[in-house]
Structures are given as C-alpha cells and as structure tokens.
Amino acid sequence: MRVTMLRTILCGALIILGTASAMAVPPAQYDIPNLQNMTDFVFANGMINPNDQDQLIEYVMIKDCDLYKEYYLDDFAWNKIRARILDNSKELHDDVITHFVMPANFLVTRYNFTTKSFDLSKSSQLINVNLMNLTKDVVPLCPRLNVSPSLKMLPYYYYLKIDTPLSLYRIPMAEDMGKKILDSMETVQEGGMVSRRLYALLYMSADSVLDLNNQKGVFLGRIDKIEFFLDQKRTQRIRTLVYSDL
C-alpha cells in the first residue's frame, strides 16, 4: 500500500516528500512529467515557501489529497507538516526528478537517397523549437471540500525552455536499414499524400526554474535524445538521436 511522506511525518518518520516505497532517483532515470514531480522540482528550487500558508496548502493538495482533506482545518497539524517539510528540504532537493521522458509521433514522407535519411513531413518538422509543453490535459487532483477544485498559487501547466533551439527535418537512416523497415511502417493519409508514422520518445533534462506564476511554470533545460520506434508500444527501436546529432 502506498503511504505518502506527509502522512507519515506526523508520526515522526524522516523520509522525503513522496511515497514510502519510493527510492532515490538515479541521475540517469527518466520519468513521465506530471503535476507532482513538476511541483517537486519547483519546491527543490526554492520557489515554494513552506512558511506561506497558501502555498503550503496547495503543495499538500498536489502531493497528498487525502492528507489535505484530513488536516487542512487543523492548525496544529499544519504547523507540524510545515516543520517536517522544512527539516527534509535538503533530502527532497537531492532526490528530486530532473529527467523527463514524453511520447511523440512523427510522420515521414519518403526515403531521401541524397541525405541517407527519412524526410519528415512538414507537419512533423521541428523548426527552431525552444519551448516544450511538459504537462497536458491536467486533471485537478484534490478538490477542496464543497468547493470547485482549483489552484490559485501554483500552476497546473509546465514548460521546458530549451537552452539551444531544436530543429529536426529528417531522420538519418542507412539505406539497408531504411529498406528493411519501410514496409513495416504504419501508413497514414495526410493532405492527399501517403506518409508513414514513426513513434518516438523525447528525453529531456531540467536544470532550473526560469519563471513561475499561477498560470504556468517554465524550466530551463535541454533535449538529451530522441528514440524512434516502429510500434506504438515503443518496443521496436530503430534509431536514437542524441543531443549532439540534433
């Protein structure tokens, strides 16, 4: 059973904010971005003040809704929670997730024998992209009792500003590999033309919080690599482009 740290700190447990089953995240481990780990990154960068009652309430709403509902009217319990968060801020900073991975789809039009690559369709090309949307279709996690759910101090939506804008027009591929996978690609009709779909995973790293308000949070970071797959489950990897290739 998953037990959050905020619930156990009232009994004196000294573990980082998160789940009791969670271990320290290795630097190379990537996680899917969500509202919880985005907010953890904001907290670890000193952008959430546990002494600010409104920010603390929303932080706990995001991290442990049941704990919030149980204790938000108890001033003494909130004071203990705030103290524990302050006591464990270093551990949270050391273990916060900074590497994220997101799925994406790309359409290719044909194999280009001149460049030895699959050309991306115009709709799939990345042209000087410098801002990536990390959180989409976020569902409010913890409605206040008898009040419509909302955050007023912290944002639902987060973005990654890339330190060097990213452009991608084609996927390099040797001829023999291109021939081998061509018939295995899923075909898609696009604007009267036949394209082929490739599935991808985008790996990103965040270094710092560039901007934060109640509408959005912006992290500064970079694209580490992009992996391309033939199948939607992303098990048949055919190409990896590291940052230096992009």
Side-chain angles (χ1 to χ4, degrees):
M1 182 176 66
R2 297 169 67 87
V3 181
T4 66
M5 176 269 191
L6 285 178
R7 186 166 298 280
T8 57
I9 59 175
L10 297 180
C11 300
L14 290 173
I15 58 176
I16 65 167
L17 187 63
T19 63
S21 59
M23 302 298 290
V25 178
Q29 181 173 325
Y30 290 80
D31 201 359
I32 297 174
N34 56 49
L35 191 56
Q36 289 95 334
N37 56 34
M38 297 287 97
T39 307
D40 275 343
F41 187 81
V42 168
F43 180 84
N45 278 267
M47 303 296 287
I48 296 176
N49 180 7
N51 291 307
D52 184 313
Q53 182 74 355
D54 292 331
Q55 288 190 5
L56 177 66
I57 287 174
E58 292 193 357
Y59 184 47
V60 178
M61 283 172 61
I62 293 169
K63 294 298 295 182
D64 190 327
C65 181
D66 291 336
L67 183 70
Y68 161 75
K69 288 181 177 180
E70 186 172 349
Y71 292 110
Y72 84 103
L73 291 178
D74 188 331
D75 292 338
F76 295 97
W78 276 113
N79 190 54
K80 290 181 180 179
I81 291 172
R82 181 190 61 81
R84 284 293 179 178
I85 292 175
L86 287 172
D87 288 344
N88 291 275
S89 59
K90 183 181 184 303
E91 286 83 354
L92 176 60
H93 184 277
D94 291 341
D95 294 321
V96 69
I97 294 171
T98 61
H99 305 284
F100 304 99
V101 58
M102 293 182 62
N105 297 335
F106 290 87
L107 295 179
V108 300
T109 56
R110 65 188 182 92
Y111 186 82
N112 189 321
F113 290 93
T114 301
T115 59
K116 308 297 183 187
S117 63
F118 280 108
D119 291 342
L120 292 175
S121 70
K122 289 186 177 180
S123 63
S124 290
Q125 291 176 0
L126 304 179
I127 304 175
N128 292 325
V129 174
N130 67 350
L131 198 67
M132 304 290 293
N133 190 349
L134 294 175
T135 49
K136 302 176 182 178
D137 304 322
V138 175
V139 178
L141 298 176
C142 187
R144 279 182 182 270
L145 303 181
N146 302 319
V147 178
S148 298
S150 65
L151 294 176
K152 294 181 173 60
M153 303 292 293
L154 302 175
Y156 283 115
Y157 299 101
Y158 288 90
Y159 302 84
L160 181 73
K161 182 175 177 60
I162 304 170
D163 51 8
T164 301
L166 172 66
S167 293
L168 186 65
Y169 301 94
R170 58 187 58 89
I171 303 171
M173 191 78 61
E175 283 188 33
D176 57 345
M177 184 64 175
K179 182 179 181 180
K180 184 184 299 184
I181 68 173
L182 187 64
D183 292 335
S184 301
M185 291 170 143
E186 178 185 341
T187 57
V188 180
Q189 289 285 340
E190 183 189 35
M193 302 290 290
V194 176
S195 299
R196 293 176 172 85
R197 177 179 285 124
L198 287 178
Y199 299 91
L201 290 174
L202 277 64
Y203 294 83
M204 300 161 284
S205 293
D207 299 319
S208 61
V209 179
L210 190 63
D211 186 31
L212 183 74
N213 55 51
N214 63 348
Q215 299 297 317
K216 66 178 182 180
V218 181
F219 302 157
L220 182 63
R222 61 195 176 278
I223 301 291
D224 295 325
K225 63 180 179 179
I226 303 177
E227 292 182 336
F228 296 93
F229 302 83
L230 283 176
D231 60 317
Q232 188 173 7
K233 292 183 178 180
R234 293 167 173 82
T235 60
Q236 303 176 52
R237 184 174 59 218
I238 59 170
R239 190 70 165 91
T240 298
L241 297 180
V242 298
Y243 181 77
S244 58
D245 297 327
L246 303 176

